[in-house]
mmCIF file of all heavy atoms in Angstrom:
data_model
loop_
_atom_site.group_PDB
_atom_site.id
_atom_site.type_symbol
_atom_site.label_atom_id
_atom_site.label_comp_id
_atom_site.label_asym_id
_atom_site.label_seq_id
_atom_site.Cartn_x
_atom_site.Cartn_y
_atom_site.Cartn_z
ATOM 1 N N PRO A 1 -28.926 56.536 200.467
ATOM 2 C CA PRO A 1 -28.874 55.803 199.186
ATOM 3 C C PRO A 1 -27.497 55.268 198.948
ATOM 4 O O PRO A 1 -26.491 55.853 199.291
ATOM 5 C CB PRO A 1 -29.235 56.848 198.137
ATOM 6 C CG PRO A 1 -29.844 57.990 198.876
ATOM 7 C CD PRO A 1 -29.283 57.951 200.252
ATOM 8 N N THR A 2 -27.448 54.049 198.345
ATOM 9 C CA THR A 2 -26.165 53.487 197.958
ATOM 10 C C THR A 2 -25.804 53.939 196.559
ATOM 11 O O THR A 2 -26.661 54.398 195.811
ATOM 12 C CB THR A 2 -26.253 51.932 197.960
ATOM 13 O OG1 THR A 2 -27.314 51.543 197.124
ATOM 14 C CG2 THR A 2 -26.454 51.388 199.352
ATOM 15 N N THR A 3 -24.525 53.855 196.268
ATOM 16 C CA THR A 3 -24.059 54.240 194.901
ATOM 17 C C THR A 3 -24.369 53.113 193.933
ATOM 18 O O THR A 3 -24.669 51.958 194.359
ATOM 19 C CB THR A 3 -22.519 54.474 194.943
ATOM 20 O OG1 THR A 3 -21.865 53.224 195.306
ATOM 21 C CG2 THR A 3 -22.132 55.576 195.926
ATOM 22 N N LYS A 4 -24.282 53.384 192.686
ATOM 23 C CA LYS A 4 -24.514 52.340 191.676
ATOM 24 C C LYS A 4 -23.519 51.206 191.872
ATOM 25 O O LYS A 4 -23.859 49.997 191.712
ATOM 26 C CB LYS A 4 -24.371 52.907 190.263
ATOM 27 C CG LYS A 4 -25.464 53.860 189.884
ATOM 28 C CD LYS A 4 -26.748 53.140 189.691
ATOM 29 C CE LYS A 4 -27.845 54.099 189.236
ATOM 30 N NZ LYS A 4 -29.182 53.474 189.223
ATOM 31 N N GLU A 5 -22.289 51.539 192.216
ATOM 32 C CA GLU A 5 -21.249 50.524 192.458
ATOM 33 C C GLU A 5 -21.645 49.607 193.610
ATOM 34 O O GLU A 5 -21.507 48.393 193.560
ATOM 35 C CB GLU A 5 -19.902 51.199 192.711
ATOM 36 C CG GLU A 5 -18.762 50.201 192.867
ATOM 37 C CD GLU A 5 -17.408 50.943 193.062
ATOM 38 O OE1 GLU A 5 -16.974 51.600 192.119
ATOM 39 O OE2 GLU A 5 -16.910 50.872 194.188
ATOM 40 N N GLU A 6 -22.127 50.174 194.690
ATOM 41 C CA GLU A 6 -22.581 49.352 195.839
ATOM 42 C C GLU A 6 -23.787 48.512 195.500
ATOM 43 O O GLU A 6 -23.874 47.398 195.939
ATOM 44 C CB GLU A 6 -22.900 50.307 197.039
ATOM 45 C CG GLU A 6 -21.633 50.959 197.627
ATOM 46 C CD GLU A 6 -21.998 52.067 198.632
ATOM 47 O OE1 GLU A 6 -23.035 52.733 198.481
ATOM 48 O OE2 GLU A 6 -21.231 52.156 199.624
ATOM 49 N N GLN A 7 -24.671 49.111 194.681
ATOM 50 C CA GLN A 7 -25.860 48.323 194.244
ATOM 51 C C GLN A 7 -25.449 47.128 193.395
ATOM 52 O O GLN A 7 -26.014 46.042 193.535
ATOM 53 C CB GLN A 7 -26.821 49.218 193.500
ATOM 54 C CG GLN A 7 -27.541 50.253 194.345
ATOM 55 C CD GLN A 7 -28.406 51.185 193.580
ATOM 56 O OE1 GLN A 7 -28.774 50.914 192.439
ATOM 57 N NE2 GLN A 7 -28.693 52.314 194.211
ATOM 58 N N ASN A 8 -24.433 47.312 192.518
ATOM 59 C CA ASN A 8 -23.934 46.230 191.689
ATOM 60 C C ASN A 8 -23.262 45.152 192.532
ATOM 61 O O ASN A 8 -23.220 43.983 192.102
ATOM 62 C CB ASN A 8 -22.956 46.756 190.657
ATOM 63 C CG ASN A 8 -23.609 47.640 189.601
ATOM 64 O OD1 ASN A 8 -24.820 47.554 189.393
ATOM 65 N ND2 ASN A 8 -22.832 48.483 188.998
ATOM 66 N N LYS A 9 -22.807 45.477 193.722
ATOM 67 C CA LYS A 9 -22.218 44.481 194.613
ATOM 68 C C LYS A 9 -23.278 43.774 195.455
ATOM 69 O O LYS A 9 -22.949 43.001 196.348
ATOM 70 C CB LYS A 9 -21.189 45.161 195.556
ATOM 71 C CG LYS A 9 -19.914 45.613 194.826
ATOM 72 C CD LYS A 9 -18.958 46.262 195.772
ATOM 73 C CE LYS A 9 -17.748 46.774 195.056
ATOM 74 N NZ LYS A 9 -16.761 47.443 195.949
ATOM 75 N N GLY A 10 -24.535 44.148 195.249
ATOM 76 C CA GLY A 10 -25.622 43.489 195.959
ATOM 77 C C GLY A 10 -25.963 44.067 197.297
ATOM 78 O O GLY A 10 -26.587 43.431 198.128
ATOM 79 N N LEU A 11 -25.605 45.322 197.505
ATOM 80 C CA LEU A 11 -25.898 45.990 198.825
ATOM 81 C C LEU A 11 -27.266 46.644 198.906
ATOM 82 O O LEU A 11 -27.594 47.228 199.894
ATOM 83 C CB LEU A 11 -24.799 47.007 199.165
ATOM 84 C CG LEU A 11 -23.407 46.478 199.345
ATOM 85 C CD1 LEU A 11 -22.434 47.586 199.620
ATOM 86 C CD2 LEU A 11 -23.399 45.475 200.511
ATOM 87 N N GLY A 12 -28.085 46.555 197.859
ATOM 88 C CA GLY A 12 -29.410 47.126 197.915
ATOM 89 C C GLY A 12 -29.363 48.615 197.563
ATOM 90 O O GLY A 12 -28.364 49.168 197.107
ATOM 91 N N THR A 13 -30.501 49.275 197.776
ATOM 92 C CA THR A 13 -30.616 50.708 197.353
ATOM 93 C C THR A 13 -30.360 51.627 198.523
ATOM 94 O O THR A 13 -30.192 52.838 198.305
ATOM 95 C CB THR A 13 -32.012 50.960 196.784
ATOM 96 O OG1 THR A 13 -33.010 50.647 197.762
ATOM 97 C CG2 THR A 13 -32.256 50.196 195.521
ATOM 98 N N LYS A 14 -30.368 51.138 199.755
ATOM 99 C CA LYS A 14 -30.124 51.983 200.938
ATOM 100 C C LYS A 14 -29.187 51.238 201.884
ATOM 101 O O LYS A 14 -29.218 50.027 201.978
ATOM 102 C CB LYS A 14 -31.405 52.393 201.639
ATOM 103 C CG LYS A 14 -32.273 53.311 200.815
ATOM 104 C CD LYS A 14 -33.463 53.745 201.635
ATOM 105 C CE LYS A 14 -34.316 54.721 200.853
ATOM 106 N NZ LYS A 14 -35.461 55.215 201.632
ATOM 107 N N LYS A 15 -28.437 52.030 202.645
ATOM 108 C CA LYS A 15 -27.568 51.482 203.665
ATOM 109 C C LYS A 15 -27.612 52.326 204.898
ATOM 110 O O LYS A 15 -27.918 53.557 204.857
ATOM 111 C CB LYS A 15 -26.102 51.367 203.166
ATOM 112 C CG LYS A 15 -25.488 52.717 202.891
ATOM 113 C CD LYS A 15 -24.034 52.549 202.386
ATOM 114 C CE LYS A 15 -23.484 53.954 202.064
ATOM 115 N NZ LYS A 15 -22.167 53.863 201.558
ATOM 116 N N PRO A 16 -27.404 51.795 206.097
ATOM 117 C CA PRO A 16 -27.455 52.573 207.357
ATOM 118 C C PRO A 16 -26.190 53.417 207.490
ATOM 119 O O PRO A 16 -25.090 52.974 207.140
ATOM 120 C CB PRO A 16 -27.563 51.522 208.420
ATOM 121 C CG PRO A 16 -26.969 50.299 207.823
ATOM 122 C CD PRO A 16 -27.225 50.342 206.381
ATOM 123 N N GLN A 17 -26.350 54.622 208.013
ATOM 124 C CA GLN A 17 -25.224 55.496 208.332
ATOM 125 C C GLN A 17 -25.488 56.100 209.709
ATOM 126 O O GLN A 17 -26.487 56.745 209.946
ATOM 127 C CB GLN A 17 -24.967 56.547 207.297
ATOM 128 C CG GLN A 17 -23.810 57.401 207.641
ATOM 129 C CD GLN A 17 -23.370 58.282 206.484
ATOM 130 O OE1 GLN A 17 -23.745 58.039 205.377
ATOM 131 N NE2 GLN A 17 -22.572 59.302 206.787
ATOM 132 N N LYS A 18 -24.545 55.890 210.635
ATOM 133 C CA LYS A 18 -24.671 56.448 211.989
ATOM 134 C C LYS A 18 -24.402 57.966 211.955
ATOM 135 O O LYS A 18 -23.366 58.369 211.426
ATOM 136 C CB LYS A 18 -23.752 55.774 212.976
ATOM 137 C CG LYS A 18 -24.263 54.521 213.548
ATOM 138 C CD LYS A 18 -23.432 54.079 214.742
ATOM 139 C CE LYS A 18 -24.260 53.197 215.597
ATOM 140 N NZ LYS A 18 -23.580 52.874 216.850
ATOM 141 N N VAL A 19 -25.314 58.723 212.473
ATOM 142 C CA VAL A 19 -25.163 60.160 212.542
ATOM 143 C C VAL A 19 -24.692 60.557 213.935
ATOM 144 O O VAL A 19 -23.790 61.387 214.083
ATOM 145 C CB VAL A 19 -26.503 60.898 212.192
ATOM 146 C CG1 VAL A 19 -26.339 62.411 212.311
ATOM 147 C CG2 VAL A 19 -26.955 60.505 210.803
ATOM 148 N N LEU A 20 -25.270 59.977 214.946
ATOM 149 C CA LEU A 20 -24.858 60.197 216.329
ATOM 150 C C LEU A 20 -24.375 58.852 216.909
ATOM 151 O O LEU A 20 -25.083 57.840 216.805
ATOM 152 C CB LEU A 20 -26.020 60.714 217.164
ATOM 153 C CG LEU A 20 -26.713 61.996 216.681
ATOM 154 C CD1 LEU A 20 -27.942 62.335 217.533
ATOM 155 C CD2 LEU A 20 -25.728 63.139 216.628
ATOM 156 N N LYS A 21 -23.204 58.872 217.503
ATOM 157 C CA LYS A 21 -22.577 57.630 217.982
ATOM 158 C C LYS A 21 -22.245 57.706 219.463
ATOM 159 O O LYS A 21 -21.288 58.381 219.873
ATOM 160 C CB LYS A 21 -21.285 57.375 217.197
ATOM 161 C CG LYS A 21 -21.539 57.337 215.693
ATOM 162 C CD LYS A 21 -20.221 57.284 214.912
ATOM 163 C CE LYS A 21 -20.477 57.468 213.424
ATOM 164 N NZ LYS A 21 -19.252 57.671 212.691
ATOM 165 N N ASN A 22 -23.030 57.028 220.245
ATOM 166 C CA ASN A 22 -22.792 56.885 221.702
ATOM 167 C C ASN A 22 -22.522 58.205 222.413
ATOM 168 O O ASN A 22 -21.539 58.319 223.182
ATOM 169 C CB ASN A 22 -21.638 55.894 221.962
ATOM 170 C CG ASN A 22 -21.944 54.531 221.406
ATOM 171 O OD1 ASN A 22 -23.047 54.025 221.521
ATOM 172 N ND2 ASN A 22 -20.969 53.912 220.751
ATOM 173 N N LEU A 23 -23.370 59.184 222.208
ATOM 174 C CA LEU A 23 -23.161 60.514 222.807
ATOM 175 C C LEU A 23 -23.718 60.500 224.270
ATOM 176 O O LEU A 23 -24.789 59.965 224.513
ATOM 177 C CB LEU A 23 -23.879 61.609 222.004
ATOM 178 C CG LEU A 23 -23.458 61.780 220.577
ATOM 179 C CD1 LEU A 23 -24.260 62.918 219.937
ATOM 180 C CD2 LEU A 23 -21.978 62.120 220.509
ATOM 181 N N THR A 24 -22.939 61.140 225.107
ATOM 182 C CA THR A 24 -23.330 61.304 226.506
ATOM 183 C C THR A 24 -23.055 62.755 226.882
ATOM 184 O O THR A 24 -22.032 63.262 226.517
ATOM 185 C CB THR A 24 -22.563 60.334 227.424
ATOM 186 O OG1 THR A 24 -22.815 59.002 226.995
ATOM 187 C CG2 THR A 24 -22.921 60.524 228.886
ATOM 188 N N GLY A 25 -23.987 63.353 227.614
ATOM 189 C CA GLY A 25 -23.780 64.721 228.039
ATOM 190 C C GLY A 25 -24.877 65.239 228.932
ATOM 191 O O GLY A 25 -25.831 64.480 229.258
ATOM 192 N N TYR A 26 -24.813 66.506 229.307
ATOM 193 C CA TYR A 26 -25.844 67.096 230.167
ATOM 194 C C TYR A 26 -25.852 68.622 229.928
ATOM 195 O O TYR A 26 -24.865 69.214 229.468
ATOM 196 C CB TYR A 26 -25.613 66.756 231.614
ATOM 197 C CG TYR A 26 -24.331 67.244 232.193
ATOM 198 C CD1 TYR A 26 -24.254 68.493 232.803
ATOM 199 C CD2 TYR A 26 -23.159 66.482 232.126
ATOM 200 C CE1 TYR A 26 -23.042 68.978 233.318
ATOM 201 C CE2 TYR A 26 -21.980 66.931 232.604
ATOM 202 C CZ TYR A 26 -21.915 68.164 233.213
ATOM 203 O OH TYR A 26 -20.750 68.645 233.719
ATOM 204 N N ALA A 27 -26.977 69.214 230.289
ATOM 205 C CA ALA A 27 -27.113 70.657 230.239
ATOM 206 C C ALA A 27 -27.720 71.077 231.583
ATOM 207 O O ALA A 27 -28.758 70.578 231.992
ATOM 208 C CB ALA A 27 -28.003 71.092 229.108
ATOM 209 N N LEU A 28 -27.024 71.982 232.290
ATOM 210 C CA LEU A 28 -27.478 72.406 233.614
ATOM 211 C C LEU A 28 -28.371 73.652 233.527
ATOM 212 O O LEU A 28 -28.182 74.475 232.600
ATOM 213 C CB LEU A 28 -26.245 72.754 234.502
ATOM 214 C CG LEU A 28 -25.338 71.520 234.771
ATOM 215 C CD1 LEU A 28 -24.075 72.018 235.518
ATOM 216 C CD2 LEU A 28 -26.105 70.495 235.570
ATOM 217 N N PRO A 29 -29.346 73.754 234.427
ATOM 218 C CA PRO A 29 -30.199 74.937 234.390
ATOM 219 C C PRO A 29 -29.390 76.209 234.743
ATOM 220 O O PRO A 29 -28.479 76.158 235.575
ATOM 221 C CB PRO A 29 -31.228 74.652 235.486
ATOM 222 C CG PRO A 29 -30.613 73.596 236.344
ATOM 223 C CD PRO A 29 -29.676 72.832 235.490
ATOM 224 N N GLY A 30 -29.749 77.318 234.063
ATOM 225 C CA GLY A 30 -29.090 78.583 234.311
ATOM 226 C C GLY A 30 -27.735 78.749 233.655
ATOM 227 O O GLY A 30 -27.069 79.746 233.868
ATOM 228 N N GLN A 31 -27.314 77.754 232.875
ATOM 229 C CA GLN A 31 -26.018 77.846 232.176
ATOM 230 C C GLN A 31 -26.222 77.744 230.688
ATOM 231 O O GLN A 31 -27.155 77.109 230.216
ATOM 232 C CB GLN A 31 -25.073 76.752 232.647
ATOM 233 C CG GLN A 31 -24.640 76.847 234.117
ATOM 234 C CD GLN A 31 -23.589 75.889 234.480
ATOM 235 O OE1 GLN A 31 -23.184 75.039 233.714
ATOM 236 N NE2 GLN A 31 -23.130 75.958 235.725
ATOM 237 N N THR A 32 -25.294 78.328 229.944
ATOM 238 C CA THR A 32 -25.373 78.249 228.507
ATOM 239 C C THR A 32 -24.558 77.021 228.062
ATOM 240 O O THR A 32 -23.456 76.772 228.530
ATOM 241 C CB THR A 32 -24.758 79.498 227.858
ATOM 242 O OG1 THR A 32 -25.500 80.628 228.338
ATOM 243 C CG2 THR A 32 -24.813 79.465 226.376
ATOM 244 N N LEU A 33 -25.139 76.264 227.094
ATOM 245 C CA LEU A 33 -24.460 75.123 226.518
ATOM 246 C C LEU A 33 -24.238 75.386 225.064
ATOM 247 O O LEU A 33 -25.186 75.686 224.327
ATOM 248 C CB LEU A 33 -25.322 73.851 226.715
ATOM 249 C CG LEU A 33 -24.805 72.618 225.993
ATOM 250 C CD1 LEU A 33 -23.525 72.124 226.601
ATOM 251 C CD2 LEU A 33 -25.847 71.487 226.012
ATOM 252 N N TYR A 34 -23.005 75.348 224.615
ATOM 253 C CA TYR A 34 -22.650 75.551 223.222
ATOM 254 C C TYR A 34 -22.465 74.187 222.565
ATOM 255 O O TYR A 34 -21.778 73.338 223.080
ATOM 256 C CB TYR A 34 -21.366 76.362 223.058
ATOM 257 C CG TYR A 34 -21.529 77.784 223.589
ATOM 258 C CD1 TYR A 34 -21.168 78.090 224.896
ATOM 259 C CD2 TYR A 34 -22.004 78.768 222.763
ATOM 260 C CE1 TYR A 34 -21.259 79.397 225.370
ATOM 261 C CE2 TYR A 34 -22.111 80.081 223.242
ATOM 262 C CZ TYR A 34 -21.769 80.386 224.542
ATOM 263 O OH TYR A 34 -21.881 81.663 225.009
ATOM 264 N N ILE A 35 -23.065 74.017 221.393
ATOM 265 C CA ILE A 35 -22.901 72.825 220.616
ATOM 266 C C ILE A 35 -22.198 73.259 219.336
ATOM 267 O O ILE A 35 -22.763 73.966 218.502
ATOM 268 C CB ILE A 35 -24.239 72.131 220.294
ATOM 269 C CG1 ILE A 35 -24.929 71.730 221.560
ATOM 270 C CG2 ILE A 35 -24.001 70.916 219.380
ATOM 271 C CD1 ILE A 35 -26.289 71.134 221.433
ATOM 272 N N MET A 36 -20.937 72.858 219.223
ATOM 273 C CA MET A 36 -20.100 73.322 218.100
ATOM 274 C C MET A 36 -19.547 72.124 217.329
ATOM 275 O O MET A 36 -19.350 71.090 217.886
ATOM 276 C CB MET A 36 -18.951 74.144 218.640
ATOM 277 C CG MET A 36 -19.371 75.395 219.441
ATOM 278 S SD MET A 36 -18.030 76.196 220.282
ATOM 279 C CE MET A 36 -16.967 76.613 218.980
ATOM 280 N N GLY A 37 -19.351 72.369 216.039
ATOM 281 C CA GLY A 37 -18.771 71.342 215.196
ATOM 282 C C GLY A 37 -18.824 71.745 213.751
ATOM 283 O O GLY A 37 -19.508 72.707 213.383
ATOM 284 N N ALA A 38 -18.104 71.010 212.933
ATOM 285 C CA ALA A 38 -18.069 71.291 211.478
ATOM 286 C C ALA A 38 -19.409 70.990 210.847
ATOM 287 O O ALA A 38 -20.252 70.334 211.446
ATOM 288 C CB ALA A 38 -16.972 70.435 210.861
ATOM 289 N N SER A 39 -19.552 71.494 209.636
ATOM 290 C CA SER A 39 -20.773 71.165 208.861
ATOM 291 C C SER A 39 -20.908 69.684 208.707
ATOM 292 O O SER A 39 -19.943 68.966 208.366
ATOM 293 C CB SER A 39 -20.622 71.865 207.514
ATOM 294 O OG SER A 39 -21.720 71.565 206.718
ATOM 295 N N GLY A 40 -22.086 69.171 208.980
ATOM 296 C CA GLY A 40 -22.329 67.746 208.837
ATOM 297 C C GLY A 40 -21.936 66.918 210.069
ATOM 298 O O GLY A 40 -21.930 65.696 210.028
ATOM 299 N N ALA A 41 -21.545 67.572 211.190
ATOM 300 C CA ALA A 41 -21.080 66.857 212.321
ATOM 301 C C ALA A 41 -22.197 66.298 213.208
ATOM 302 O O ALA A 41 -21.956 65.477 214.065
ATOM 303 C CB ALA A 41 -20.239 67.786 213.219
ATOM 304 N N GLY A 42 -23.475 66.699 212.924
ATOM 305 C CA GLY A 42 -24.586 66.137 213.665
ATOM 306 C C GLY A 42 -25.178 67.071 214.696
ATOM 307 O O GLY A 42 -25.976 66.629 215.557
ATOM 308 N N LYS A 43 -24.872 68.355 214.670
ATOM 309 C CA LYS A 43 -25.398 69.303 215.672
ATOM 310 C C LYS A 43 -26.920 69.353 215.603
ATOM 311 O O LYS A 43 -27.587 69.262 216.654
ATOM 312 C CB LYS A 43 -24.799 70.704 215.441
ATOM 313 C CG LYS A 43 -23.295 70.770 215.502
ATOM 314 C CD LYS A 43 -22.772 72.129 215.170
ATOM 315 C CE LYS A 43 -23.026 72.561 213.750
ATOM 316 N NZ LYS A 43 -22.294 71.810 212.736
ATOM 317 N N THR A 44 -27.476 69.540 214.444
ATOM 318 C CA THR A 44 -28.918 69.644 214.304
ATOM 319 C C THR A 44 -29.591 68.289 214.632
ATOM 320 O O THR A 44 -30.620 68.258 215.304
ATOM 321 C CB THR A 44 -29.317 70.048 212.860
ATOM 322 O OG1 THR A 44 -28.719 71.336 212.617
ATOM 323 C CG2 THR A 44 -30.834 70.163 212.708
ATOM 324 N N SER A 45 -28.966 67.193 214.262
ATOM 325 C CA SER A 45 -29.486 65.867 214.600
ATOM 326 C C SER A 45 -29.513 65.688 216.115
ATOM 327 O O SER A 45 -30.468 65.139 216.690
ATOM 328 C CB SER A 45 -28.678 64.759 213.982
ATOM 329 O OG SER A 45 -28.785 64.818 212.576
ATOM 330 N N LEU A 46 -28.484 66.141 216.842
ATOM 331 C CA LEU A 46 -28.469 66.076 218.243
ATOM 332 C C LEU A 46 -29.610 66.888 218.871
ATOM 333 O O LEU A 46 -30.359 66.398 219.739
ATOM 334 C CB LEU A 46 -27.130 66.568 218.832
ATOM 335 C CG LEU A 46 -27.045 66.714 220.354
ATOM 336 C CD1 LEU A 46 -27.275 65.373 221.060
ATOM 337 C CD2 LEU A 46 -25.738 67.318 220.759
ATOM 338 N N MET A 47 -29.785 68.097 218.433
ATOM 339 C CA MET A 47 -30.878 68.935 218.921
ATOM 340 C C MET A 47 -32.263 68.324 218.621
ATOM 341 O O MET A 47 -33.151 68.357 219.458
ATOM 342 C CB MET A 47 -30.797 70.348 218.350
ATOM 343 C CG MET A 47 -29.542 71.136 218.822
ATOM 344 S SD MET A 47 -29.430 71.273 220.604
ATOM 345 C CE MET A 47 -30.888 72.175 220.958
ATOM 346 N N ASN A 48 -32.396 67.751 217.415
ATOM 347 C CA ASN A 48 -33.668 67.131 217.078
ATOM 348 C C ASN A 48 -33.925 65.881 217.974
ATOM 349 O O ASN A 48 -35.083 65.616 218.362
ATOM 350 C CB ASN A 48 -33.691 66.735 215.603
ATOM 351 C CG ASN A 48 -33.877 67.893 214.719
ATOM 352 O OD1 ASN A 48 -34.418 68.958 215.112
ATOM 353 N ND2 ASN A 48 -33.420 67.761 213.459
#
């Protein structure tokens, strides 16, 4: 959702926000892969 200020500027009620940006990686069989990051960094979005 956009803020009231953004809506007043004519940006509509919703705007796009990138959660995952050009991620590249791999997970090998038999090895543990840790996905770490701050709250809101996109860990759950990556797993989903």
Side-chain angles (χ1 to χ4, degrees):
T2 54
T3 63
K4 292 289 183 187
E5 184 177 291
E6 290 171 325
Q7 290 175 19
N8 292 338
K9 292 181 181 178
L11 295 178
T13 59
K14 292 186 178 181
K15 64 180 177 182
Q17 180 166 345
K18 276 193 157 187
V19 177
L20 304 176
K21 303 171 189 171
N22 300 320
L23 299 182
T24 300
Y26 62 91
L28 297 174
Q31 294 188 357
T32 302
L33 172 69
Y34 295 93
I35 299 175
M36 300 171 59
S39 177
K43 301 175 295 291
T44 302
S45 295
L46 173 61
M47 293 304 297
N48 286 337

